[in-house]
Amino acid sequence: MTRTLDRARCQATAHPLALDAILAFAVLTCMLASSSIDPHGGRDENAGTGGTRGTGGTGEHAVTWAAHTPHPLALVLMLIGATALIFRRRAPRRVLALTGTVALIESVVGDPRAPVAMSAVIALYTVAATTDRATTVRLGLLTMTVLTGASMLAGPLPWYAQENLAIFAWAGIGATAGDAVRSRRAFVQAIRDRADRAERTREEEAGRRVAEERLRIARDLHDVVAHHIALVNVQAGVAAHVMDKRPDQAKEALAHVRAASRSALNELRATVGLLRQSGDPEAPTEPAPGLARLDELVGTFRNAGLPVEVARADQDTDLPAAVDLAAYRVVQEALTNVRKHAGKEARAEVSVVRVGPDVEVTVLDDGTGADADPGSGGGHGLLGMRERVTALRGTLTTGPRHGGGFRVQATLPITPRRTPGEQPL
């Protein structure tokens, strides 16, 4: 049964003109039936011959029904009013004006009265259901006042006749019902719009988080691959250069290649392991690198032939995991850039200093880039460092030094900073 009603509702929605034509025919039928039957009071035949019923002796009154043919003018007005309802969705106000006019004519000249006002009530309902409340009140009061006032002042019936008051009541019911339908439609549409906005917000938030996670993984992979592959490239070149004349030094270089490749594989395994599901086996358990492994990191560059000096004045500050990892990656990427771009005679300096609520990480070099590796090319190292630091609401300063060389300085907040207007958690 429910499926049949849904199918019928869909068909009616798809063919509104046909539905309005059926409605117009139904209204015309009701108006013809109502105007063709005349209820009036009658008296029993025994009342006039002395026969009495009950104790009053006055005869019992009953209601009888009489059929009559409506006046030709009433028929024309009813036909015009019903036909106009076919176009009530296309031009609701014009249909209201037309049906109100024929109802006004009928209320003034109709005797006996025909229910032409029924078409005006339907038209008023349509206007109320398709417009705003202020317009509904304005047109509803106008329709009720004009039709009721004309019936009372110029109609054939006394001003206090119930037919005159019925016009006022039915017009008010039509306007009220239409406004209620409009309010319900607006409420349902508001709920749907809210649900659509919530769904779009969820999708946008999910997409944003996916993009952020993809960017974070890309930065990690870049840092790991760029650092270790650069070292492998340098040590492999050294091994190839001294293989024939100094095999011991070549073996040492190959040992560094093996150590760097093993470290790269371990970090790649840890990074890719973050993409596993929570129930997958062999999830990474090794903590992310931080400044505690700074000496080990610097040692790999020294083994690759890059002189590096380290100065720390952070008083063994316990950094948050994200800040610790970002500081480590900044040093790693900056030294990798020195090894690739500054030249073979370049020297580097690394300093980690606690400055109030921040920790400053600075990497300096004095290279000229004259004899840099020609295959090093450009990359996304500086962009990746800036994204890391900005994500923690820190600042990154990069640029050439006066007198030659390059400078990278990152200022990272030890405690999270709030943006203006942000409420504390």
Side-chain angles (χ1 to χ4, degrees):
M1 183 64 180
T2 303
R3 187 175 301 175
T4 303
L5 292 177
D6 292 340
R7 188 183 300 110
R9 187 181 297 109
C10 293
Q11 292 178 355
T13 304
H15 303 86
L17 189 62
L19 180 63
D20 290 339
I22 296 175
L23 175 64
F25 179 77
V27 171
L28 179 61
T29 302
C30 292
M31 289 191 296
L32 290 175
S34 179
S35 61
S36 300
I37 300 175
D38 180 25
H40 61 278
R43 191 172 60 179
D44 193 7
E45 294 177 355
N46 294 331
T49 59
T52 60
R53 294 184 182 181
T55 59
T58 58
E60 182 180 359
H61 291 272
V63 177
T64 60
W65 300 85
H68 65 87
T69 302
H71 193 275
L73 178 61
L75 290 175
V76 173
L77 295 177
M78 286 187 288
L79 182 61
I80 294 175
T83 304
L85 294 179
I86 299 177
F87 309 98
R88 68 187 185 96
R89 298 178 193 264
R90 297 184 177 181
R93 298 191 185 188
R94 294 181 181 180
V95 170
L96 176 61
L98 179 58
T99 55
T101 301
V102 297
L104 178 64
I105 295 174
E106 195 279 332
S107 64
V108 173
V109 302
D111 189 19
R113 182 71 58 81
V116 181
M118 183 182 298
S119 60
V121 171
I122 300 297
L124 182 59
Y125 164 84
T126 304
V127 171
T130 56
T131 188
D132 58 278
R133 181 165 296 174
T135 304
T136 299
V137 172
R138 185 170 62 253
L139 294 180
L141 289 177
L142 178 63
T143 302
M144 290 186 293
T145 302
V146 171
L147 293 182
T148 306
S151 299
M152 289 181 174
L153 299 178
L157 299 177
W159 68 269
Y160 52 82
Q162 63 179 1
E163 287 84 352
N164 297 334
L165 299 178
I167 294 177
F168 184 87
W170 280 109
I173 292 174
T176 304
D179 184 72
V181 171
R182 180 198 58 79
S183 300
R184 181 182 179 277
R185 290 174 181 171
F187 178 73
V188 173
Q189 186 62 38
I191 293 177
R192 291 176 179 174
D193 294 341
R194 191 180 300 113
D196 292 340
R197 287 195 300 269
E199 183 66 23
R200 288 195 300 269
T201 302
R202 284 194 296 268
E203 293 177 356
E204 292 173 357
E205 179 66 16
R208 184 184 64 82
R209 292 186 178 182
V210 169
E212 290 179 353
E213 184 66 14
R214 185 183 296 115
L215 181 60
R216 185 190 65 80
I217 294 174
R219 286 197 300 261
D220 287 338
L221 290 176
H222 173 270
D223 292 342
V224 172
V225 172
H227 164 61
H228 292 290
I229 296 303
L231 296 182
V232 168
N233 182 41
V234 171
Q235 296 292 352
V238 171
H241 182 69
V242 300
M243 179 67 71
D244 296 331
K245 297 181 180 180
R246 292 182 292 231
D248 293 338
Q249 188 176 353
K251 290 181 180 180
E252 182 181 356
L254 291 177
H256 290 315
V257 169
R258 182 179 180 184
S261 61
R262 184 186 301 111
S263 179
L265 289 175
N266 290 335
E267 292 199 32
L268 285 174
R269 186 180 298 110
T271 302
V272 176
L274 296 175
L275 301 178
R276 294 179 181 270
Q277 299 295 329
S278 58
D280 289 347
E282 299 181 1
T285 57
E286 182 181 356
L291 292 180
R293 296 174 54 183
L294 181 59
D295 293 337
E296 178 184 347
L297 174 65
V298 171
T300 60
F301 285 98
R302 288 171 179 166
N303 293 332
L306 175 64
V308 182
E309 296 182 3
V310 179
R312 299 191 63 172
D314 52 345
Q315 293 83 33
D316 296 329
T317 303
D318 187 12
L319 300 177
V323 176
D324 200 17
L325 175 61
Y328 179 89
R329 294 302 189 194
V330 167
V331 174
Q332 183 185 53
E333 180 61 33
L335 291 179
T336 301
N337 288 341
V338 172
R339 189 65 189 86
K340 291 167 60 177
H341 306 294
K344 296 180 181 180
E345 302 299 326
R347 302 174 62 89
E349 299 177 6
V350 177
S351 66
V352 181
V353 181
R354 171 72 181 269
V355 182
D358 302 328
V359 59
E360 289 186 358
V361 179
T362 306
V363 179
L364 306 175
D365 71 82
D366 58 359
T368 60
D371 53 350
D373 185 0
S376 59
H380 300 85
L382 293 179
L383 178 60
M385 282 192 289
R386 191 173 304 279
E387 289 173 347
R388 281 186 180 277
V389 174
T390 304
L392 298 173
R393 296 179 182 174
T395 58
L396 179 71
T397 304
T398 62
R401 298 174 60 192
H402 179 71
F406 201 80
R407 177 174 178 267
V408 174
Q409 183 178 36
T411 303
L412 299 169
I414 298 176
T415 57
R417 294 174 180 168
R418 300 191 187 102
T419 56
E422 181 181 1
Q423 298 296 328
L425 296 177

